[in-house]
Amino acid sequence: MAAVFKLGDRIGEIDAQLRELDRSADSVFGLLGGMPARLSVPRIQRYRDRLNALEAAALAQVIDDKGDTKVAENIVGKSGKVSKRSKKAAVARAKLGKKNPSITDKMATGELTDEQVDVIADTDRKTDGAAGSDDSFITDIANAGIDQSRSVAADFITDNADADGTQSEYDRQRLLRKANKFTTDRRTDAIMFEGDTAAISEIWSAANRRADEFYRDDGGRDLAVNRHPRTNEQRLFDALIDIFKNGTCGGGCGHGDGDSTSSADNDNESAERHGRGGCATLGTETAYNDGSASNPTSATRSKRYTPKVTSSRPTIVVGVTLDKFLGLDPNSAAELIGTGPIADTVLAEYVGNANIIAMLFGHRGQPLWMSRQVRLATHAQHVALVIRDKRCILCGADHTKCKAHHITPWSAPAQGETDITKLVLVCDSCHHYIHDEHQTVYQDAATGRWMLRPALPHEIAPSRPPKPSRSEAPQRK
């Protein structure tokens, strides 16, 4: 009986502590709720980091040395109000903290956010445990913003890839490939594809390219986005259907499937033929936002000739060293830009079916330094930017969503130049932000990362003139 009384006393003591903890938390929450957002939000974020670190440390204690996470998963999901994704993320942070306690310490001090730790955990899984123990990599992640953290992680994965491991992962994905047809909660039918990264990336790149042609068919920049007959998601759906029906070129237009590196002029001509000839025309009627089965008269094909970088974006870009290509470094892995390392069997397929462009940075034979001769980046320059920057230098967006940006604007008083060393790859969103907020990019000398700073007066381009009416816009011949 004495033991029972002691146990009861202990339970009562714990209950009292929990009640006191709840009262203290209510007091803190009450104080935060009465503060202005500029004062409360930074503290809420700081406390959240501390709580995430406490959660990771507590869960790490119940993960055994063999890495069994079942008990931890049950604890996280006990309330029934945590999604599977959140539960897995919390347990992955705990498992990483057990492996490397310094990560949990950095979470507690705010050096690492939970999102950055999630990036480390994902990278650790993709590199067979190399990332979670690499202090240099963890420091780089801590010093980078969350968007640039993903770029740091992608480069680490590529740098630590080897041919055998990449081939094994490709073979594993190929064995697990499948397609499922199902009905969604919105009572629409869907098909889900699972498979190797290279194949999925190739299909998605082709769909985005075709959807960009449909965007011009729908009115392009001559028509406000909210007046387009279909959304971007609908264009992607139509693009995939068109590709499945007609192939990556389709319609008998005479373009080879591997011709993903045509010049800007040829590509504009290609887009015109795609839009008119059947290469980008569905065999069945397409339903538009207004419920009709035909394109509204307002959505005529854009006649405004704007030689954007999008018209010359390469669909698939593979980075491979000369030693790898010549067979002198067989253990290294080639990289599918925007995706990551690819298997040697995939590389062999690309080499056998693609146009190969040899590009040596700094080579005088490449037209990469155009000075003030042209305003827009050439096709060769854009390919070089994709290989060099790989993705948006600020947010890490995929290179297919990016364009060449002059570090010093072309029309600014300082007169920017179209040189490869004075261009960077940025997505549309970041590009608008840079210009609208009068920012400029610079490369940090210590870390090599691209950063933003307020632009000086001579680095600011004049405001753009109002958009011309359709009759005033330059017409494509």
Side-chain angles (χ1 to χ4, degrees), residues 111-122:
E111 293 180 68
L112 285 171
T113 66
D114 57 330
E115 288 182 282
Q116 288 175 312
V117 175
D118 291 344
V119 170
I120 296 173
D122 183 61

Side-chain angles (χ1 to χ4, degrees), residues 52 55-56 85-94 96 103 107 112-126 131 137 141 146 149-150 153 157:
N52 285 332
E55 180 186 61
R85 183 176 181 179
S86 297
K87 182 169 69 174
K88 288 182 178 180
V91 173
R93 289 193 289 267
L96 190 64
I103 293 177
M107 289 179 66
L112 285 171
T113 66
D114 57 330
E115 288 182 282
Q116 288 175 312
V117 175
D118 291 344
V119 170
I120 296 173
D122 183 61
T123 308
D124 191 62
R125 178 179 61 83
K126 293 178 179 178
F137 169 68
I141 292 289
I146 182 59
S149 292
R150 297 188 182 95
I157 291 170

Side-chain angles (χ1 to χ4, degrees), residues 320-333:
V320 57
T321 64
L322 187 60
D323 285 345
K324 173 70 175 178
F325 186 75
L326 296 177
L328 302 177
D329 186 14
N331 197 43
S332 64

Side-chain angles (χ1 to χ4, degrees), residues 337-352:
I337 305 297
T339 298
I342 56 171
D344 283 355
T345 51
V346 177
L347 175 63
E349 182 179 347
Y350 284 150
V351 170

Side-chain angles (χ1 to χ4, degrees), residues 279-347:
C279 194
T281 302
L282 295 176
T284 57
E285 291 182 326
T286 303
Y288 292 89
N289 287 342
D290 61 359
S292 66
S294 62
N295 199 328
T297 56
S298 61
T300 56
R301 182 176 176 83
S302 175
K303 293 292 186 181
R304 185 181 180 193
Y305 179 61
T306 51
K308 301 188 300 178
V309 172
T310 49
S311 64
S312 61
R313 287 176 185 159
T315 302
I316 297 292
V317 179
V318 176
V320 57
T321 64
L322 187 60
D323 285 345
K324 173 70 175 178
F325 186 75
L326 296 177
L328 302 177
D329 186 14
N331 197 43
S332 64
E335 178 186 11
L336 183 61
I337 305 297
T339 298
I342 56 171
D344 283 355
T345 51
V346 177
L347 175 63

Side-chain angles (χ1 to χ4, degrees), residues 96-403:
L96 190 64
K98 185 176 182 67
K99 172 182 176 180
N100 188 348
S102 68
I103 293 177
T104 306
D105 294 339
K106 291 180 184 296
M107 289 179 66
T109 58
E111 293 180 68
L112 285 171
T113 66
D114 57 330
E115 288 182 282
Q116 288 175 312
V117 175
D118 291 344
V119 170
I120 296 173
D122 183 61
T123 308
D124 191 62
R125 178 179 61 83
K126 293 178 179 178
T127 56
D128 294 329
S133 303
D134 192 302
D135 292 337
S136 177
F137 169 68
I138 294 170
T139 299
D140 288 343
I141 292 289
N143 292 335
I146 182 59
D147 290 327
Q148 290 194 338
S149 292
R150 297 188 182 95
S151 297
V152 172
D155 290 338
F156 184 86
I157 291 170
T158 299
D159 292 341
N160 283 268
D162 61 80
D164 291 339
T166 304
Q167 184 68 51
S168 297
E169 176 62 13
Y170 171 77
D171 293 339
R172 184 190 72 82
Q173 291 179 340
R174 290 290 296 170
L175 286 173
L176 296 175
R177 69 189 185 277
K178 64 179 180 179
N180 290 326
K181 180 179 178 294
F182 59 96
T183 301
T184 70
D185 294 338
R186 299 190 301 171
R187 292 183 297 172
T188 56
D189 286 341
I191 297 175
M192 181 180 73
F193 291 95
E194 287 186 64
D196 62 283
T197 302
I200 297 297
S201 296
E202 190 168 354
I203 292 173
W204 191 245
S205 295
N208 275 278
R209 189 177 182 87
R210 188 66 51 82
D212 187 60
E213 295 171 10
F214 288 170
Y215 169 77
R216 294 195 290 273
D217 286 339
D218 287 349
R221 297 200 297 171
D222 286 346
L223 198 64
V225 173
N226 59 2
R227 292 184 59 197
H228 277 209
R230 48 186 166 176
T231 66
N232 185 57
E233 289 78 10
Q234 290 170 335
R235 281 191 289 266
L236 280 168
F237 177 90
D238 293 346
L240 284 166
I241 295 296
D242 187 43
I243 289 170
F244 289 140
K245 286 188 173 184
N246 300 320
T248 55
C249 196
C253 71
H255 298 158
D257 286 356
D259 186 16
S260 62
T261 55
S262 59
S263 67
D265 291 338
N266 289 339
D267 199 69
N268 285 326
E269 181 184 354
S270 166
E272 183 71 23
R273 281 187 285 180
H274 281 185
R276 299 300 185 195
C279 194
T281 302
L282 295 176
T284 57
E285 291 182 326
T286 303
Y288 292 89
N289 287 342
D290 61 359
S292 66
S294 62
N295 199 328
T297 56
S298 61
T300 56
R301 182 176 176 83
S302 175
K303 293 292 186 181
R304 185 181 180 193
Y305 179 61
T306 51
K308 301 188 300 178
V309 172
T310 49
S311 64
S312 61
R313 287 176 185 159
T315 302
I316 297 292
V317 179
V318 176
V320 57
T321 64
L322 187 60
D323 285 345
K324 173 70 175 178
F325 186 75
L326 296 177
L328 302 177
D329 186 14
N331 197 43
S332 64
E335 178 186 11
L336 183 61
I337 305 297
T339 298
I342 56 171
D344 283 355
T345 51
V346 177
L347 175 63
E349 182 179 347
Y350 284 150
V351 170
N353 295 281
N355 294 330
I356 297 176
I357 300 175
M359 186 160 293
L360 303 175
F361 293 106
H363 191 270
R364 293 184 180 274
Q366 278 289 347
L368 303 182
W369 282 262
M370 305 301 294
S371 187
R372 298 282 296 178
Q373 297 178 58
V374 296
R375 175 172 182 169
L376 298 175
T378 65
H379 180 67
Q381 286 176 318
H382 190 75
V383 173
L385 286 173
V386 170
I387 295 173
R388 187 193 72 191
D389 295 340
K390 301 181 181 179
R391 57 191 74 87
C392 175
I393 61 165
L394 296 177
C395 74
D398 190 87
H399 71 86
T400 57
K401 297 179 172 60
C402 295
K403 60 180 64 172

